[in-house]
């Protein structure tokens, strides 16, 4: 029980002007869509926020043609130092409008305001600053200086604005133009980014934002005028995209699902490790592809770690995403909540022991209490399938080799964490883990200068750092 009672500290919604309806952003202008429309909802309240246009095949064709024209006549020919000025301008506007972006992200996505304010939006600006610095230095990248052309980009709902930055910034820095589809449930910050492109006087057609659902994304991916496809999302959809572009000349990068192992050895700094476990699985309600959803803890300290972890979980505050005290916000959609519930119920049915701290959940909206399962075996579905929610599966191990074997026993390979005071053990274990990113004595740390991506069913290609340029230059990956 908390010593102090927390008074609500809500962030004001007044900084955000949400329109009743939104069109598509094509060729530098907002235009009506040729298809139907859909509603975007606040997952914390189920309130309808806005009506959003759904792009059809004709809209996609229009956007791709505008992108091709902008690439061939303006952006692809522009010297890197001139492109850099636009990226710097976008980065500064993002900083100037950071409060507005953070509030809008939390309203539309459900994540706590302190995460969107302190993590997402600053990292978004940092990516544009970083790649602005690369724009006139591409000859030093090792990938040449020739852009690929038109990039079709499809991003997920868990980090809507951050995933946009990860994809748009390097593409523009390299001289490509972009047709981007945000997730159906979280389109609003991408549409605000379209306004920022206008504010930065970005030439028409360089960035188009097409809202819609799966069919819109499919039309972008399969359009013959798209030279490069970048996708972040589920492994299932990633496989469909790989099949769709097979046999074409399109470049593809896929950042897909994960089932990361967070490995705690007996000599780990325990308080630090517990914070890392909590951050690894409960940050952004567990809506993180690289979430540490499998905790592998050495048998000799398992009881102590669980006791400390349960105590810490009891202090997590679940509720209003716009309250600055909130640690765990709303689940993004009714569909995602149903999946989390289904897999959690299966975990219980298969014999794992479920535990959640006492937690009063709001009556409206989509909510799920922070949850952990003990008595989990590697055969359990909750240890194998990506739940994408605030659910932690706890397994134990005796030796480092057993830890590595269990960690690698997954079709995924996106990330992992190691907690130990021995530097030699960190290096030895990290070298044996089949994961694209391995954190040591920390978790979920991101930096625009560092590449990110996975192995196996977690996808291929890298985003961030110098490596992130390879996907957008002809001298990069095939």
């Amino acid at each position: 029980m908390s010593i102090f009672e927390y008074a609500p500290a809500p962030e004001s919604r007044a900084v955000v002007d949400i329109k009743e309806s939104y069109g598509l952003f094509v060729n530098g202008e907002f235009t009506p869509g040729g298809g139907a429309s859909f509603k975007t909802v606040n997952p914390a309240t189920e309130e309808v926020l806005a009506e959003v246009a759904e792009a059809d095949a004709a809209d996609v064709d229009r956007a791709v043609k505008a992108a091709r024209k902008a690439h061939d006549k303006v952006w692809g020919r522009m010297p890197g130092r001139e492109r850099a000025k636009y990226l710097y301008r976008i980065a500064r506007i993002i900083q100037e409008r950071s409060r507005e972006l953070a509030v809008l992200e939390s309203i539309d996505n459900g994540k706590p305001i302190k995460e969107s304010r302190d993590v997402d939006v600053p990292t978004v600006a940092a990516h544009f600053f970083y790649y602005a610095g690369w724009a006139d230095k591409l000859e030093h990248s090792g990938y040449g200086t020739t852009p690929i052309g038109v990039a079709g980009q499809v991003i997920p709902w868990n980090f809507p604005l951050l995933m946009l930055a990860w994809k748009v910034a390097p593409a523009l820095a390299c001289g490509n133009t972009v047709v981007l589809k945000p997730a159906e449930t979280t389109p609003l910050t991408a549409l605000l980014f379209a306004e920022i492109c206008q504010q930065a006087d970005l030439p028409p057609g360089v960035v188009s934002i097409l809202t819609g659902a799966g069919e819109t994304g499919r039309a972008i991916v399969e359009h013959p005028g798209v030279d490069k496809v970048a996708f972040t999302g589920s492994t299932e959809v990633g496989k469909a995209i790989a099949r769709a572009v097979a046999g074409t000349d399109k470049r593809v990068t896929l950042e897909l699902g994960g089932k990361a192992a967070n490995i705690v050895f007996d000599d780990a700094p325990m308080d630090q490790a517990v914070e890392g476990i909590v951050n690894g699985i409960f940050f952004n309600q567990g809506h993180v592809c690289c979430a540490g959803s499998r905790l592998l803890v050495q048998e000799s300290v398992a009881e102590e770690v669980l006791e400390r972890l349960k105590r810490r979980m009891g202090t997590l505050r679940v509720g209003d995403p716009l309250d600055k005290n909130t640690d765990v916000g709303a689940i993004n959609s009714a569909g995602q909540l149903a999946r989390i519930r289904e897999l959690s119920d299966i975990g219980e049915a298969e014999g794992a022991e479920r535990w959640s701290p006492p937690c009063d959940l709001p009556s409206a909206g989509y909510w799920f209490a922070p949850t952990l399962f003990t008595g989990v075996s590697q055969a359990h579905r909750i240890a194998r399938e990506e739940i994408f929610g605030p659910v932690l599966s706890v397994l134990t191990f005796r030796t480092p080799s057993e830890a590595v074997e269990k960690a690698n026993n997954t079709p995924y390979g996106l990330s992992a964490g190691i907690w130990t005071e021995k530097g030699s053990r960190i290096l030895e274990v990290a070298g044996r883990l089949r994961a694209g990113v391995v954190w040591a004595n920390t978790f979920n740390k991101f930096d625009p200068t560092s590449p990110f991506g996975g192995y196996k069913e977690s996808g291929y290609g890298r985003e961030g750092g110098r490596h992130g340029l390879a996907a957008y230059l002809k001298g990069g990956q095939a």
Side-chain angles (χ1 to χ4, degrees):
M1 186 173 175
S2 174
I3 299 171
F4 303 103
E5 290 300 319
Y6 281 86
E11 173 63 271
S12 172
R13 283 184 59 158
V15 296
V16 173
D17 177 26
I18 300 177
K19 300 176 177 62
E20 284 187 15
S21 62
Y22 289 87
L24 311 171
F25 184 68
V26 178
N27 207 27
E29 297 179 341
F30 283 95
T31 65
S37 63
F38 60 95
K39 294 175 172 61
T40 185
V41 172
N42 181 340
T45 63
E46 300 178 62
E47 136 199 31
V48 174
L49 296 171
E51 192 90 15
V52 182
E54 184 169 358
D56 61 15
D59 296 319
V60 171
D61 187 59
R62 191 160 49 96
V64 172
K65 285 177 177 172
R68 175 65 61 198
K69 182 178 178 182
H71 173 267
D72 292 349
K73 296 189 178 300
V74 183
W75 197 250
R77 296 182 175 189
M78 189 181 289
R81 66 181 179 276
E82 296 301 317
R83 290 199 302 268
K85 292 175 184 177
Y86 287 99
L87 269 76
Y88 279 124
R89 197 178 299 161
I90 288 170
R92 287 194 295 269
I93 295 170
I94 287 167
Q95 288 183 320
E96 289 164 6
R97 302 182 71 170
S98 61
R99 188 178 175 202
E100 182 183 358
L101 287 163
V103 171
L104 186 59
E105 194 79 304
S106 288
I107 292 171
D108 201 24
N109 171 277
K111 66 175 62 190
I113 184 67
K114 67 181 181 183
E115 291 179 9
S116 52
R117 178 195 65 197
D118 299 343
V119 179
D120 291 30
V121 176
T123 312
V124 167
H127 271 81
F128 279 97
F129 277 124
Y130 175 73
Y131 282 109
W134 265 115
D136 64 346
K137 305 174 187 67
L138 296 177
E139 64 268 24
H140 305 295
S141 69
Y143 307 121
T145 60
T146 307
I148 290 172
V150 176
Q153 304 178 331
V154 180
I155 59 173
W157 47 260
N158 57 334
F159 290 93
L161 190 61
L162 184 56
M163 293 298 99
L164 178 151
W166 277 27
K167 287 174 171 52
V168 171
L172 297 191
C174 293
N176 302 276
T177 52
V178 167
V179 177
L180 179 137
K181 188 196 87 70
E184 183 182 5
T185 60
T186 54
L188 295 185
T189 47
L191 292 164
L192 183 52
F193 179 78
E195 290 181 22
I196 288 172
C197 290
Q198 288 180 321
Q199 192 178 341
D201 291 325
L202 195 67
V206 173
V207 171
S208 291
I209 306 291
L210 299 183
T211 46
E215 285 306 310
T216 304
R218 190 194 317 276
I220 293 172
V221 167
E222 296 180 356
H223 194 286
V226 168
D227 305 300
K228 153 79 182 143
V229 174
F231 172 75
T232 295
S234 72
T235 295
E236 181 186 358
V237 176
K239 288 178 178 178
I241 289 173
R243 285 192 293 269
V245 302
T248 72
D249 293 332
K250 291 178 183 177
R251 300 269 195 96
V252 183
T253 48
L254 301 173
E255 196 261 280
L256 309 175
K259 195 70 182 173
N262 214 351
I263 306 170
V264 178
F265 287 96
D266 56 6
D267 65 339
M270 287 303 167
D271 289 337
Q272 191 178 337
V274 167
E275 286 304 306
I277 295 164
V278 168
N279 183 47
I281 187 59
F282 301 125
F283 176 73
N284 199 34
Q285 297 74 256
H287 297 336
V288 186
C289 46
C290 54
S293 53
R294 290 183 297 149
L295 173 62
L296 301 184
V297 57
Q298 201 153 14
E299 270 187 16
S300 56
V301 292
E303 197 173 311
E304 179 189 356
V305 169
L306 278 171
E307 184 183 322
R308 289 178 184 234
L309 178 57
K310 287 180 177 180
R311 192 184 314 135
R312 178 67 179 91
M313 286 173 65
T315 69
L316 294 174
R317 292 181 293 280
V318 181
D320 180 6
L322 288 184
D323 190 327
K324 300 181 190 78
N325 291 323
T326 294
D327 299 301
V328 180
I331 302 302
N332 180 254
S333 68
Q336 186 58 33
L337 178 58
R339 173 169 172 78
I340 295 167
R341 285 175 172 166
E342 178 191 5
L343 283 168
S344 297
D345 290 345
I346 288 169
E348 271 191 297
E350 290 183 341
E353 186 178 338
R354 179 176 182 166
W355 183 88
S356 294
C359 193
D360 293 326
L361 300 179
S363 55
Y366 314 126
W367 304 92
F368 196 88
T371 299
L372 66 81
F373 281 94
T374 52
V376 179
S377 79
Q378 296 193 87
H380 282 141
R381 283 182 63 184
I382 55 171
R384 292 184 287 113
E385 296 184 26
E386 186 178 36
I387 298 174
F388 221 61
V391 180
L392 178 66
S393 296
V394 183
L395 300 92
T396 60
F397 67 90
R398 293 182 179 178
T399 66
S401 291
E402 185 187 353
V404 170
E405 189 175 343
K406 286 185 172 178
N408 286 341
N409 185 21
T410 171
Y412 298 110
L414 191 56
S415 64
I418 302 169
W419 299 85
T420 174
E421 290 192 340
K422 293 185 177 69
S424 58
R425 178 178 284 164
I426 289 169
L427 294 172
E428 196 270 336
V429 172
R432 294 167 62 194
L433 292 172
R434 292 294 291 163
V437 176
V438 180
W439 287 290
N441 293 329
T442 188
F443 208 90
N444 274 343
K445 295 295 181 188
F446 299 97
D447 189 282
T449 67
S450 182
F452 180 87
Y455 293 106
K456 301 189 287 185
E457 290 195 8
S458 290
Y460 46 81
R462 294 293 180 264
E463 294 182 303
R466 180 183 68 86
H467 301 73
L469 299 167
Y472 294 101
L473 292 168
K474 286 192 174 177
Q477 62 180 22

